[in-house]
Amino acid sequence: MSLPRSIWKIAIAVCLAAPFAQANAQGTTPGVAIVRGVVSDSTNHAPVIGAQVIAVGTTRGALTDTAGAYTLRVPPGAVTIRVQRIGFAPSQRTVNATLDGTTTADFVLRPVSTVLSEVVVTGYGTQNRAQVTGAVTQVDGQDVQNQPVAGVDGALQGKAAGVQVSQNSGEPGTGISVRVRGASSLSASNQPLYVVDGVPIANDPLAQQLFPAGSEAPTAITGLDPNEIESITVLKDAASAAIYGSRASNGVVMITTKRGQAGKAKFSVDLSTGIQNAATKLKLMNATQYVTYMNEGAVNDGDGIQFFAGIDDATSTDWQDAIFRTGPIQNLHMGVSGGTDALRYNVEGSFFKQTGIVIGSAYSRANARVNVDYDATPKFSLKTSLGLSRENNDRIEGNNSNDGIVTNAIGQPAVYHVRNPDGSFTSTADTTPSNNSEVYSNPVAIGTYDRLPDVTDHLLGNIQGDYIFNSHLTLTGSAGVDILHDNENQWRSPLVIGNYAYGAHGVAMTTFDNTNHYLLQSYLTYQGGSEAGSSLTVVGGGSIEYNNEESSLLRGEGFSSPEFQYVGSATNLVDFGGIPTANNLESFFGRANYSYKGRYLLQGSLRADGSSRFGINNRWGYFPAISAGWVLSDEPFMGNFSDRFGQLKLRGSFGKTGNQSIPNFAALATYGPANYGGTPGIAPLAFANPNLKWESTNEWDAGIDWYPFGGRISIIADYYHKLTSDLLTRRQLPCTIGYCSYFDNIGNVLNRGFEFGLNTVNIKPSSRGGFSWNTDFNISFNHNEVTKLNADQPVLGDNYRDISRAAVGQPIGEFYVLHFKGVDPATGDAMYSDDRINAGNPQPKFFGGLGNTVGYKNFELRGFLEFSHGAKVFNLMRIFADDGGYSYDNKFTYALNRWQQPGDITDEPRASFDGTSGGRVISDRFIEDGSYLRIQEITVSWRLPAGLFAARGLTNAKLYVSGHNLHNFTKYTGYDPDVNSNGTSNIDLGTDYYAYPRARTFTFGLSGDF
Amino acid sequence: MTNRLYDFSSRMATAMRNRILMPALLLAIVAGCNGLLDVKSKDTIPTESAITDSTSARAAIAGMYHGLQSLSSYGSDLPEVGDLSSDNAEFSGTSTSYGEIDDNIISAANTSVLNIWAQAYDNINRANEILDKLGALTNLDPATRDELQGEAYFVRALMLHDLVKYFGDVPIRLHPTTDPNAGATITRAPVSAVYDQILADLDSAASRISDSSSTTTASGGAVRALRARVLLYRGDYVNAEIEAHAVESDFTYDLAANYSDLYSATGNSTPEDIFKVIATVHSDQQSFLSYDYFAKALGGTYLLRPTSNLLAAYDTADLRGKWNISFAGSRRYGSKYRSITGTENFPVLRLGEIILIRAEALARTNHLPEAVAEMNRTQARANAPLFVLGSNNQQQVIDAIVAERRLEMALEGDRWPDLVRLGTAATVMDIDPTQTLYPIPQSEIDVTPGLTQNPGY
């Protein structure tokens, strides 16, 4: 769908009319004045390098050099010069610049905590951390680079209080869930809104048509190269996020990419290479143990034994070893940035490649970015950001599939070999005894013959113009695009015996999915007053978004040769599909910030969103928010508190945000296609709800920001209470009327919790190259509870065993299964309760991260721990791998602790081939403790001595060696407790159904600037 | 050069500020306003404008039959549970809902049972939509209106009968609704009232349908065949015999030369077909019967399989035993449906069943020699030993016909409702009598206060 013609006409009119318009003043060339000076540190008078110096009210800016000196060209007259740098409090002064003359303005900056000096990116603007009244966490780009995960969302794990990142699967390039302050939705998306350089991008799991429901999905943010990121800001509470209105319920992640600075062209290179291996292996039985156990199960039930000691266990195959391999991982990033006062650029490109630790899987990505800042005049500047990426993801059939490689490797008993003597792959189809309904396809065959390449192209760009009327008023207009093309192909080879494709003589599928977002927005910013006295900032504007998506699918079966792997060669076209869909959003927003003496802070905002998704009776939603802050330490009655104990700010906020990620046409009553044989047909599809609207979250937040001991400690803590109501649910109808459900808004979910972030400078270097030690720590507690559902009816998850549900009074995803009461010492039978109980919460009680950085001379050591406590994991693999011997699957070795004779006290039931000991009943016997403490990263880096390569122009050169996911302390018996095989489901959480294991990585890298 | 650029851009900037930019951008936003938020879907039609003429009416009829292809209807579940609950088939897979059905200990939360209920009522709603909307159309010629409404009555009758066979008392739905609170007034109608409605619908269908040749949509023969079955179930043997006889003599149906012809992978029709649900290779029209019964080595899922009891019931010469049950290695599996791509049309009504209905009706009205002659027809076709009347009494003849019915209709979903109808389900399966009816799905009872649960659940 293209933009309406009216918009294009106006845009063209603007572009054409401008050159022909006459200026109504100034016929002469304006002159230029020069302001220069030196910026130094108040404590030791050392020069402050890299400080930003801006002429307020113009586009003019500069950076201080290695001597702390700067030069600015400004229009003559009174001009306010403002200096800021991370680690120092900002300072500004007004000087009178003389035409064609030079004015000197020196600054002395007072050091403060790094956190306090941050410039925080908010919606439609920025704010100094000192002025912030909401709950906002900022993560530096450095902290998400050089991580062995494809996307920035994975790299955020453990780095920000209140942000829970789960890696549902170890498969490269997919499977990350991000939750800000808990999950609140059952049917709409729980992912936060990502805004990249001002353009909101949709980060719902990409519609993938070739995978079973609920399995892992890639998301759009994986295409963004973490090396391009300058900073990431997470807007957590309603007050900070409400400016994004109906998309802000789940928090907003603002990503800003790096821009060029004026100066000589600087080339940067970052090259790293490493290897990955499976971090853990499951403890599964070998052939001898398997034969012993299975035979005992047969004898116990009076059946004939089916395996023969000495023959079947003569050799033992470790199937995990057969599918695991060492996977290399490489990353090359190069960039050049620089420019003049008027034109600055940042051009970068990178290539990332990760070969998966499971055969058949790999991921690679190529990125390019061009960011240009052009200060056309002192009043008008243009910023363009353009990012391109192509991802090649060789996927494998995985979670939620009985045809997966990992699934079959774990299921295959060790008595079977990988290959026959003639080299062909074995298959248990012919060899398994007759009772068996589960035949294991050879996972090495699957990895060798089946293909699932997925290519995603992503274009993310925007152009923004800022017109500065004067030092108070700026008009910003921007246009952005987010275009994503995803092409998935799948080939399931008939050479893999036992799969559907074997009977169907090969299955090939191809899909194309194109998603387009166009954004037009414009807003005015007014800034008045001074920081010393009272100041007021007001932003107001509007935006329009056009979103559309089109997909197509073809599936063919019946191939005359396994070499023909594309749909075009199929005998039968068995399925075809294609869905066009669209939604539009129209918005108005405004925000005002008032601060008095920098001590009393007040902010209010309002956003109105109209969406085509909402029912006709509820087209528009309104989202207000208010927050206030009080810098208590600056109060006169506190005396010299701030000198002794640092700055202390109390803040509180209250606001309303929404979630509009409901299906595009959910409100309408429709008929859809329903063909019969070759006759075209239509049939009723959906029941209407003209009142359908967004989910709504009311949240209040109380927080403290404290920077004691001269800023050596920063503490940011928040308590929040978030009530989400009008949940989008499929409200049940009596199926008797022909529809079993329709979309309605009923249901409430409560999230409340506490976040704590601490940054400390434990040891400050006494001199350059001295010993330093910094710590950063964050921890979050969240209580999640469903407080209301339609008629108090629990909502089930998608897992067909119905183990997870959302029920009133319980957290989302509470496991609801029978209770295992133990093994009867007299019979060895497992005993269960009659009814299901609430058996465990998959959400953690608390989670967080602890990082330490130690430096000495040219060395730096960084260690990062990531932890989560209290979550439960349902180990679904045990339905087959710990079932008492009913199925032929290989078993966990702890099944060897089985009951064997009356009087045995154990938790493992009697081995029973007919299942009479009850081992395979689905119960909380399979629910395990998912708490863990992970050594996420240890990196040692060595800054090369300046003299070594200076002659070649290489500065800032650094060598580093890094290990990731080195060890995970946990009691969980699967691969990793941070898992969810139903990654795209909101209700099925913490289930492990043969999830792709996580890797341990060692990398070696070199980076430097030219 | 720099100065000129500066001058140019300065003038541009000034102009923009003064005249164009701000109003232009705001105008851009407002101009887009009209209709911006009314986005039309490109792959669905609003219900109000779905059925407007004979073309769309025919499309709606096709959509109604499509509902019978559903995996919760004749595409998989209905034929499967009909044998799984009985002594014909047993569960060999991993789904708990089918496990419960095999064990005859079904929880009211069983999802397969819910899906069967829901799809049957979905199909009834499709029929009701057509009946209501066709009644209101003015641009439809009466012959077409009758033909299409007749087909809708037939499908509604068929669905209601399937429901009453499995669940007992069920709600009767005769009109579509847009009221989300309709559940407040829905109640279960007693079995006799449901049968009355079914027969009334079949009468309405009979008087409207004139087609007698189609076997994949409702025809005159299909209406009478279904009526024969319904009357047999109701116990009205005299009229069941009349209807079955009419199907045999008033139409040109004949037994297929070979039993196997009925289940042809290419969907070929036979003279025995009365009403078959089409299955094609397209994934939303595929039958899953072969996929569910087939052994894994042959590419199936081996979800359920014929019992050894059924295997033993076939005489070694009976061609049906060989066709219906096969072995992959030592693994016994159901081989009635053989297309791994799911393209066999499913026989809902065929002459073989009509013959046995007539046989049983004759036997129950004490016309034993004629009853045996009928039964012999399917036995002869299958090369099975012929039953000889000899000194057998009425009950023995009836038992023999019931046994023959079991062999003839095996794996077509007939055995369980048959046992329930005969009142022998509890003894044959050794289960509690309350388990001869499926539970009303709990989730239905939760939103429909007027629904009571079947005893024992």
Side-chain angles (χ1 to χ4, degrees), chain A residues 577-894:
Chain A
I579 305 175
T581 189
N583 76 82
N584 295 338
L585 187 72
E586 196 181 323
S587 314
F588 296 97
F589 51 85
R591 179 179 59 217
N593 288 73
Y594 176 75
S595 106
Y596 182 65
K597 286 191 165 36
R599 200 186 311 157
Y600 306 106
L601 312 160
L602 191 63
Q603 172 178 300
S605 71
L606 175 66
R607 180 162 179 131
D609 276 334
S611 167
S612 64
R613 286 173 167 166
F614 304 147
I616 196 81
N617 296 342
N618 275 322
R619 269 282 140 84
W620 283 86
Y622 300 92
F623 305 94
I626 186 164
S627 60
W630 182 21
V631 184
L632 188 57
S633 55
D634 284 356
E635 284 293 348
F637 64 74
M638 293 292 279
N640 59 351
F641 179 92
S642 75
D643 292 334
R644 289 168 59 203
F645 297 114
Q647 201 201 67
L648 173 65
K649 176 167 70 180
L650 303 176
R651 49 183 172 76
S653 74
F654 179 75
K656 185 165 156 198
T657 52
N659 188 345
Q660 54 122 26
S661 68
I662 65 183
N664 285 338
F665 301 107
L668 309 177
T670 52
Y671 265 57
N675 304 326
Y676 183 60
T679 311
I682 54 175
L685 193 62
F687 195 83
N689 185 353
N691 296 326
L692 194 67
K693 62 181 193 167
W694 56 96
E695 300 185 349
S696 179
T697 300
N698 286 347
E699 179 176 357
W700 60 261
D701 179 291
I704 288 184
D705 295 355
W706 188 22
Y707 308 95
F709 302 117
R712 280 177 65 167
I713 299 183
S714 313
I715 295 174
I716 298 183
D718 280 86
Y719 179 81
Y720 60 88
H721 185 278
K722 211 172 118 164
L723 183 66
T724 305
S725 54
D726 288 330
L727 285 188
L728 180 78
T729 42
R730 278 205 154 272
R731 180 177 185 169
Q732 259 195 295
L733 293 167
C735 298
T736 323
I737 69 171
Y739 306 89
C740 287
S741 64
Y742 72 127
F743 282 111
D744 198 6
N745 301 92
I746 326 159
N748 292 355
V749 169
L750 170 68
N751 279 295
R752 61 164 192 265
F754 174 69
E755 292 162 1
F756 181 77
L758 174 70
N759 289 58
T760 60
V761 176
N762 304 319
I763 298 179
K764 208 165 161 153
S766 50
S767 60
R768 208 179 145 88
F771 187 77
S772 72
W773 176 24
N774 300 337
T775 300
D776 49 277
F777 172 71
N778 71 81
I779 188 166
S780 317
F781 296 79
N782 187 50
H783 168 89
N784 174 286
E785 185 183 329
V786 178
T787 53
K788 180 172 149 193
L789 287 174
N790 181 32
D792 286 344
Q793 278 278 287
V795 178
L796 293 174
D798 297 329
N799 187 302
Y800 75 94
R801 297 179 182 90
D802 297 338
I803 55 176
S804 306
R805 65 177 199 169
V808 175
Q810 301 296 329
I812 296 177
E814 177 77 19
F815 296 120
Y816 187 66
V817 290
L818 295 176
H819 175 59
F820 171 64
K821 298 197 289 199
V823 170
D824 184 350
T827 61
D829 287 345
M831 302 181 292
Y832 298 101
S833 61
D834 290 329
D835 294 315
R836 299 195 189 203
I837 61 160
N838 291 316
N841 181 359
Q843 303 194 36
K845 291 197 178 40
F846 62 83
F847 60 92
L850 171 65
N852 280 291
T853 310
V854 172
Y856 182 65
K857 293 211 191 322
N858 285 338
F859 287 94
E860 185 182 273
L861 171 70
R862 164 110 182 126
F864 188 74
L865 294 174
E866 188 245 318
F867 57 88
S868 164
H869 181 86
K872 295 269 182 275
V873 180
F874 201 114
N875 189 341
L876 284 171
M877 299 187 279
R878 292 172 65 177
I879 294 180
F880 302 107
D882 185 19
D883 63 355
Y886 181 79
S887 71
Y888 287 92
D889 279 58
N890 203 358
K891 314 288 175 210
F892 282 105
T893 48
Y894 50 74

Side-chain angles (χ1 to χ4, degrees), chain A residues 6-7 10 14 17-19 21-24 26-27 29-30 60 374 376-378 380 403 429-430 432-439 467 469 475 477 498-500 502-504 522 524 542-544 546 557 572-576 578-580 582-586 588 610-612 616 619-620 665 669-677 679-687 731-740 742 793 800-802 880 920 922, chain B residues 3 5-22 24-25 27-29 31-33 36-48 50-51 56 58-60 62-66 69 92-96 111 114 117-118 121-122 125-126 129 133 171 173 177-183 186 216-217 275-278 280-283 285-286 291 296-299 301-302 305 330-331 340-341 443-444 446-448:
Chain A
S6 46
I7 304 290
I10 289 162
V14 166
Q22 293 298 311
N24 65 358
Q26 297 153 358
T29 314
R60 300 289 182 226
Y374 176 52
T377 76
F380 182 72
D403 292 328
D430 304 310
T432 318
S434 65
N435 233 1
N436 183 29
S437 61
E438 297 130 37
V439 167
Y467 184 76
F469 289 98
L475 175 69
N499 272 354
Y500 175 83
Y502 174 71
S522 163
L524 269 175
S543 74
I544 316 179
Y546 298 93
E557 294 180 11
N572 287 317
L573 186 69
V574 304
D575 199 8
F576 54 88
I579 305 175
N583 76 82
N584 295 338
L585 187 72
E586 196 181 323
F588 296 97
S611 167
S612 64
I616 196 81
R619 269 282 140 84
W620 283 86
F665 301 107
T670 52
Y671 265 57
N675 304 326
Y676 183 60
T679 311
I682 54 175
L685 193 62
F687 195 83
R731 180 177 185 169
Q732 259 195 295
L733 293 167
C735 298
T736 323
I737 69 171
Y739 306 89
C740 287
Y742 72 127
Q793 278 278 287
Y800 75 94
R801 297 179 182 90
D802 297 338
F880 302 107
R920 70 174 183 139
I922 296 182
Chain B
N3 286 348
L5 192 65
Y6 188 84
D7 186 36
F8 165 86
S9 44
S10 150
R11 280 198 289 227
M12 175 176 85
T14 314
M16 288 169 98
R17 171 190 70 187
N18 290 343
R19 287 195 351 184
I20 312 272
L21 188 60
M22 187 156 46
L25 279 163
L27 196 62
I29 290 169
C33 252
L36 184 80
L37 300 181
D38 288 320
V39 176
K40 296 264 174 297
S41 161
K42 291 186 188 160
D43 64 344
T44 56
I45 313 170
T47 298
E48 312 80 64
I51 302 178
S56 49
R58 288 188 189 283
M64 177 183 72
Y65 287 116
H66 178 81
Q69 295 175 312
S92 45
T94 56
S95 98
T96 42
T111 48
L114 171 63
W117 172 283
Y121 276 106
D122 181 351
N125 184 51
R126 296 181 193 200
E129 283 261 323
K133 292 195 155 95
R173 297 288 306 161
T177 179
T178 54
D179 176 13
N181 298 314
I186 293 176
T216 54
T217 57
F275 176 58
K276 270 183 151 172
V277 174
I278 296 176
T280 72
V281 82
H282 297 111
S283 63
Q285 295 194 51
Q286 263 179 336
Y291 189 57
K296 268 215 95 165
L298 303 168
T301 55
Y302 206 50
R305 65 180 179 188
S330 49
R331 205 172 303 112
I340 200 64
T341 50
S443 53
E444 285 297 289
D446 290 337
V447 290
T448 317

Side-chain angles (χ1 to χ4, degrees), chain B residues 53-106:
Chain B
D53 58 9
S54 73
T55 309
S56 49
R58 288 188 189 283
I61 289 280
M64 177 183 72
Y65 287 116
H66 178 81
L68 300 178
Q69 295 175 312
S70 161
L71 296 183
S72 306
S73 184
Y74 292 108
S76 161
D77 286 357
L78 269 185
E80 287 173 10
V81 303
D83 284 289
L84 189 60
S85 285
S86 76
D87 52 352
N88 270 5
E90 63 192 8
F91 174 61
S92 45
T94 56
S95 98
T96 42
S97 52
Y98 261 36
E100 288 179 7
I101 292 173
D102 183 32
D103 291 339
N104 298 99
I105 303 177
I106 308 176

Side-chain angles (χ1 to χ4, degrees), chain A residues 259-609:
Chain A
R259 311 201 74 83
Q261 303 292 343
K264 196 164 82 78
K266 185 176 78 166
F267 294 85
S268 64
V269 166
D270 198 316
L271 171 67
S272 73
T273 181
I275 53 169
Q276 297 190 299
N277 281 303
T280 50
K281 258 177 74 171
L282 300 184
K283 295 189 173 54
L284 298 175
M285 291 187 188
N286 63 30
T288 311
Q289 294 165 322
Y290 178 79
V291 166
T292 309
Y293 184 81
M294 294 301 285
N295 285 345
E296 182 177 311
V299 167
N300 280 347
D301 285 348
D303 297 314
I305 65 167
Q306 295 169 9
F307 298 97
F308 299 94
I311 304 170
D312 288 311
D313 59 356
T315 57
S316 184
T317 308
D318 187 331
W319 283 96
Q320 290 181 82
D321 283 345
I323 62 161
F324 288 159
R325 62 181 173 194
T326 300
I329 181 168
Q330 294 128 356
N331 192 19
L332 170 64
H333 175 260
M334 295 175 52
V336 57
S337 72
T340 64
D341 285 341
L343 183 72
R344 299 174 295 284
Y345 60 90
N346 178 27
V347 177
E348 47 189 329
S350 70
F351 182 72
F352 171 81
K353 186 168 153 98
Q354 183 180 19
T355 305
I357 56 174
V358 174
I359 54 173
S361 65
Y363 174 85
S364 70
R365 180 184 64 217
N367 288 81
R369 173 165 288 276
V370 176
N371 283 0
V372 173
D373 293 26
Y374 176 52
D375 296 337
T377 76
K379 295 287 179 191
F380 182 72
S381 71
L382 214 54
K383 267 168 68 162
T384 68
S385 316
L386 182 67
L388 296 165
S389 72
R390 162 164 284 201
E391 299 169 82
N392 272 301
N393 199 344
D394 289 327
R395 304 192 61 184
I396 58 172
E397 192 100 30
N399 303 161
N400 279 334
S401 167
N402 283 328
D403 292 328
I405 294 180
V406 177
T407 315
N408 282 296
I410 295 173
Q412 289 266 13
V415 298
Y416 301 117
H417 304 138
V418 178
R419 287 182 191 265
N420 290 314
D422 66 0
S424 63
F425 287 112
T426 61
S427 160
T428 50
D430 304 310
T431 54
T432 318
S434 65
N435 233 1
N436 183 29
S437 61
E438 297 130 37
V439 167
Y440 313 97
S441 309
N442 189 319
V444 184
I446 299 175
T448 308
Y449 295 128
D450 286 358
R451 299 257 175 283
L452 251 149
D454 181 4
V455 179
T456 308
D457 291 332
H458 198 184
L459 164 74
L460 188 58
N462 76 77
I463 176 164
Q464 176 176 318
D466 290 283
Y467 184 76
I468 303 178
F469 289 98
N470 52 46
S471 62
H472 298 297
L473 198 60
T474 307
L475 175 69
T476 307
S478 76
V481 296
D482 173 20
I483 296 178
L484 195 130
H485 289 186
D486 185 17
N487 172 215
E488 296 172 82
N489 279 306
Q490 186 177 62
W491 165 244
R492 290 156 132 196
S493 172
L495 296 173
V496 180
I497 301 170
N499 272 354
Y500 175 83
Y502 174 71
H505 304 296
V507 178
M509 291 189 269
T510 181
T511 80
F512 287 88
D513 197 300
N514 296 346
T515 312
N516 304 313
H517 301 283
Y518 305 102
L519 165 74
L520 281 176
Q521 65 190 15
S522 163
Y523 53 93
L524 269 175
T525 311
Y526 169 82
Q527 254 162 306
S530 66
E531 266 184 47
S534 64
S535 74
L536 177 69
T537 306
V538 180
V539 174
S543 74
I544 316 179
E545 284 185 36
Y546 298 93
N547 304 307
N548 62 64
E549 182 179 348
E550 207 172 295
S551 64
S552 64
L553 159 91
L554 286 177
R555 177 185 168 125
E557 294 180 11
F559 289 83
S560 47
S561 159
E563 301 301 315
F564 295 142
Q565 300 180 359
Y566 285 94
V567 176
S569 315
T571 312
N572 287 317
L573 186 69
V574 304
D575 199 8
F576 54 88
I579 305 175
T581 189
N583 76 82
N584 295 338
L585 187 72
E586 196 181 323
S587 314
F588 296 97
F589 51 85
R591 179 179 59 217
N593 288 73
Y594 176 75
S595 106
Y596 182 65
K597 286 191 165 36
R599 200 186 311 157
Y600 306 106
L601 312 160
L602 191 63
Q603 172 178 300
S605 71
L606 175 66
R607 180 162 179 131
D609 276 334

Side-chain angles (χ1 to χ4, degrees), chain A residues 78-319:
Chain A
V79 60
T80 305
I81 307 291
R82 182 190 170 81
V83 181
Q84 61 194 33
R85 196 199 185 288
I86 207 105
F88 296 94
S91 175
Q92 67 187 40
R93 190 151 84 236
T94 307
V95 297
N96 211 351
T98 54
L99 175 63
D100 291 331
T102 305
T103 313
T104 305
D106 290 335
F107 290 86
V108 178
L109 297 185
R110 180 173 62 90
V112 295
S113 114
T114 310
V115 177
L116 183 55
S117 63
E118 277 174 346
V119 171
V120 166
V121 177
T122 60
Y124 310 104
T126 59
Q127 225 180 1
N128 285 330
R129 170 62 74 179
Q131 308 279 311
V132 168
T133 50
V136 177
T137 299
Q138 186 133 301
V139 175
D140 194 70
Q142 296 277 57
D143 293 334
V144 295
Q145 279 155 30
N146 298 322
Q147 304 283 323
V149 284
V152 60
D153 50 0
L156 266 181
Q157 193 167 31
K159 305 261 164 66
V163 180
Q164 185 195 8
V165 177
S166 309
Q167 192 165 343
N168 300 324
S169 149
E171 188 181 0
T174 68
I176 307 280
S177 300
V178 177
R179 299 283 174 265
V180 177
R181 296 189 163 179
S184 46
S185 185
L186 302 181
S187 312
S189 171
N190 273 319
Q191 296 273 65
L193 176 68
Y194 284 80
V195 178
V196 179
D197 292 330
V199 179
I201 71 174
N203 202 40
D204 293 331
L206 293 180
Q208 27 166 38
Q209 307 183 55
L210 306 187
F211 280 84
S215 52
E216 306 319 322
T219 52
I221 203 71
T222 322
L224 189 65
D225 176 18
N227 282 304
E228 295 173 5
I229 297 178
E230 173 74 50
S231 68
I232 302 170
T233 312
V234 186
L235 307 179
K236 298 185 291 193
D237 69 344
S240 51
I243 195 77
Y244 282 103
S246 66
R247 291 170 296 173
S249 258
N250 299 323
V252 182
V253 178
M254 314 273 310
I255 294 179
T256 312
T257 57
K258 293 177 180 159
R259 311 201 74 83
Q261 303 292 343
K264 196 164 82 78
K266 185 176 78 166
F267 294 85
S268 64
V269 166
D270 198 316
L271 171 67
S272 73
T273 181
I275 53 169
Q276 297 190 299
N277 281 303
T280 50
K281 258 177 74 171
L282 300 184
K283 295 189 173 54
L284 298 175
M285 291 187 188
N286 63 30
T288 311
Q289 294 165 322
Y290 178 79
V291 166
T292 309
Y293 184 81
M294 294 301 285
N295 285 345
E296 182 177 311
V299 167
N300 280 347
D301 285 348
D303 297 314
I305 65 167
Q306 295 169 9
F307 298 97
F308 299 94
I311 304 170
D312 288 311
D313 59 356
T315 57
S316 184
T317 308
D318 187 331
W319 283 96

Side-chain angles (χ1 to χ4, degrees), chain B residues 383-450:
Chain B
N383 204 33
L386 300 180
F387 183 82
V388 175
L389 179 53
S391 55
N392 286 303
N393 63 21
Q394 181 189 40
Q395 188 54 48
Q396 286 166 318
V397 172
I398 291 171
D399 290 344
I401 292 170
V402 168
E404 167 65 7
R405 197 184 161 110
R406 180 192 187 195
L407 302 179
E408 174 70 21
M409 308 288 295
L411 307 190
E412 286 177 43
D414 182 75
R415 178 64 169 167
W416 171 254
D418 214 37
L419 289 176
V420 173
R421 156 179 83 85
L422 295 165
T424 55
T427 40
V428 168
M429 302 302 301
D430 190 20
I431 54 177
D432 191 273
T434 58
Q435 292 165 316
T436 57
L437 285 180
Y438 280 8
I440 306 296
Q442 185 59 45
S443 53
E444 285 297 289
I445 294 180
D446 290 337
V447 290
T448 317

Side-chain angles (χ1 to χ4, degrees), chain B residues 207-395:
Chain B
S207 64
R208 286 174 172 74
I209 294 180
S210 51
D211 179 282
S212 60
S213 58
S214 166
T215 54
T216 54
T217 57
S219 62
V223 174
R224 300 204 77 159
L226 181 58
R227 196 189 277 131
R229 179 199 282 177
V230 170
L231 289 169
L232 182 80
Y233 269 77
R234 200 174 198 188
D236 183 354
Y237 301 114
V238 170
N239 285 315
E241 195 278 327
I242 293 172
E243 288 302 304
H245 189 65
V247 172
E248 289 181 12
S249 52
D250 294 354
F251 300 88
T252 54
Y253 301 117
D254 203 356
L255 280 177
N258 302 304
Y259 188 69
S260 55
D261 295 342
L262 288 163
Y263 313 103
S264 151
T266 53
N268 283 341
S269 52
T270 71
E272 189 172 336
D273 301 342
I274 300 176
F275 176 58
K276 270 183 151 172
V277 174
I278 296 176
T280 72
V281 82
H282 297 111
S283 63
D284 64 338
Q285 295 194 51
Q286 263 179 336
S287 162
F288 262 45
L289 293 167
S290 51
Y291 189 57
D292 290 340
Y293 273 109
F294 256 32
K296 268 215 95 165
L298 303 168
T301 55
Y302 206 50
L303 183 60
L304 69 169
R305 65 180 179 188
T307 55
S308 50
N309 180 288
L310 177 65
L311 177 63
Y314 283 106
D315 183 273
T316 45
D318 193 329
L319 296 172
R320 294 171 300 195
K322 295 190 188 359
W323 179 261
N324 288 341
I325 306 178
S326 301
F327 284 84
S330 49
R331 205 172 303 112
R332 180 181 67 244
Y333 69 95
S335 52
K336 179 168 221 153
Y337 309 100
R338 300 204 172 182
S339 160
I340 200 64
T341 50
T343 52
E344 313 97 339
N345 298 345
F346 179 76
V348 175
L349 291 163
R350 61 185 175 88
L351 190 66
E353 181 188 351
I354 299 304
I355 287 172
L356 292 174
I357 289 175
R358 181 153 183 255
E360 186 177 337
L362 285 168
R364 290 191 187 271
T365 51
N366 223 3
H367 297 93
L368 300 184
E370 295 90 328
V372 170
E374 279 294 291
M375 170 168 58
N376 287 158
R377 292 174 65 186
T378 53
Q379 290 177 319
R381 191 263 296 268
N383 204 33
L386 300 180
F387 183 82
V388 175
L389 179 53
S391 55
N392 286 303
N393 63 21
Q394 181 189 40
Q395 188 54 48

